[in-house]
């Protein structure tokens, strides 16, 4: 069974949205993959998902209410097959602590329509349109990752 961890900064917006969407996408395709998420920072540990993220998910038929933020633990490299980060800042942060064999990539690298190096922008300081855009991006990347996992 494969294990995938999605990572953003605080684990209250992007990575938990991606976790919820990716989990459903993989389940709908019958793929047996464990999906979780974390933040590079721990200041939101134990907090629920941002209300705006929850609302964007709920408006599209997803439930993120059980999510609680947590910080990425370097011990997880041994337990995860793939670490997918939301932006280049988080990519650098995770790669700094990653063992050489760890598979750490930008999440949008699985979206065939996204340009090279595409990121999922942090919607935290914006309005609902930013969360809607993040949802669109994580749906596309989730579909692409599902196709990749089916092929491998």
């Amino acid at each position: 069974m494969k294990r995938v961890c999605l990572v953003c900064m605080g684990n209250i917006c992007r990575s938990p949205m991606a976790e919820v969407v990716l989990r459903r996408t993989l389940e709908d395709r019958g793929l047996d993959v464990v999906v979780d998420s974390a933040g590079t920072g721990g200041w939101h540990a134990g907090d629920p998902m941002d209300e705006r993220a929850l609302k964007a998910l709920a408006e599209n038929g997803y439930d993120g209410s059980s999510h609680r933020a947590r910080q990425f633990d370097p011990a997880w490299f041994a337990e995860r097959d793939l670490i997918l980060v939301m932006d280049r800042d988080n990519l650098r942060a995770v790669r700094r602590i990653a063992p050489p064999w760890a598979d750490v990539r930008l999440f949008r690298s699985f979206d065939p329509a996204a340009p090279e190096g595409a990121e999922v922008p942090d919607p935290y300081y914006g309005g609902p349109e930013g969360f809607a855009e993040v949802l669109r991006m994580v749906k596309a990347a989730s579909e692409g990752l599902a196709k990749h996992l089916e092929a491998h």
Side-chain angles (χ1 to χ4, degrees):
M1 175 185 322
K2 290 219 179 269
R3 291 185 59 109
V4 175
C5 186
L6 298 142
V7 180
C8 69
M9 192 163 294
N11 195 220
I12 59 168
C13 296
R14 296 172 289 175
S15 61
M17 289 177 74
E19 175 186 356
V20 169
V21 171
L22 179 59
R23 184 177 293 123
R24 167 140 1 124
T25 301
L26 297 173
E27 286 172 357
D28 288 352
R29 291 174 177 258
L31 294 169
D32 192 17
V33 180
V34 174
V35 179
D36 62 3
S37 67
T40 55
W43 51 91
H44 291 294
D47 292 348
M49 196 181 307
D50 184 286
E51 287 292 327
R52 298 163 297 172
L54 283 169
K55 184 175 185 202
L57 287 170
E59 288 172 348
N60 288 273
Y62 297 95
D63 179 10
S65 63
S66 65
H67 175 78
R68 293 299 173 267
R70 61 197 187 142
Q71 186 172 6
F72 186 83
D73 182 336
W76 296 349
F77 286 113
E79 303 167 357
R80 307 300 190 282
D81 300 292
L82 187 57
I83 310 296
L84 299 173
V85 298
M86 299 297 128
D87 61 35
R88 284 184 289 280
D89 288 340
N90 289 296
L91 182 65
R92 280 188 292 278
V94 172
R95 283 189 172 159
R96 265 196 303 274
I97 62 171
W101 47 262
D103 194 354
V104 182
R105 307 183 203 185
L106 287 168
F107 185 41
R108 289 196 66 203
S109 67
F110 287 97
D111 178 353
E116 178 89 17
E119 302 175 293
V120 178
D122 191 348
Y124 187 78
Y125 293 104
E129 65 284 343
F131 289 87
E133 181 68 3
V134 166
L135 185 59
R136 184 192 66 72
M137 290 176 178
V138 301
K139 280 182 175 180
S142 294
E143 287 295 328
L145 178 57
K147 288 178 183 169
H148 171 80
L149 292 172
E150 286 174 332
H152 295 92

